[in-house]
Amino acid sequence: RREAARLALGLGEAGRARTNLAAAREALSQHFRDDDPLTRELDAELAALAEIDIRPELPDGTAEALRLLQAAARPAEAATTAAGAGP
């Protein structure tokens, strides 16, 4: 289940990843002692992984990116124009 969860996370399939992480936590609680520190640590890590938003909404930075590209192009255009002007 852990490997399936890892694969789903890598593919951006959040729902499938959470399902597999929940199944891994269930198997952990069924087959290992809950009072073992390593079991508790692994369970906490699986729970933390399940809470990660692997497909967050990204801000629309298109206008800002265009402005930055245009600003970066201006010095290059000025240098090209000046080099071609000649004496």
Side-chain angles (χ1 to χ4, degrees):
R1 291 289 182 174
R2 190 184 81 208
E3 292 303 318
R6 181 179 291 165
L7 177 61
L9 286 169
L11 295 174
E13 297 176 0
R16 184 178 293 176
R18 282 193 192 94
T19 299
N20 285 310
L21 288 166
R25 290 183 73 199
E26 181 64 29
L28 184 67
S29 71
Q30 288 178 357
H31 300 289
F32 296 91
R33 293 178 45 172
D34 290 336
D35 61 345
D36 185 294
L38 292 175
T39 302
R40 287 196 306 264
E41 183 179 342
L42 180 55
D43 184 61
E45 288 182 25
L46 292 171
L49 284 173
E51 295 300 316
I52 295 173
D53 184 3
I54 62 170
R55 309 258 317 183
E57 186 174 319
L58 300 175
D60 181 15
T62 307
E64 179 65 12
L66 179 59
R67 186 188 68 74
L68 291 171
L69 284 171
Q70 289 171 336
R74 283 188 201 111
E77 289 172 4
T80 302
T81 305

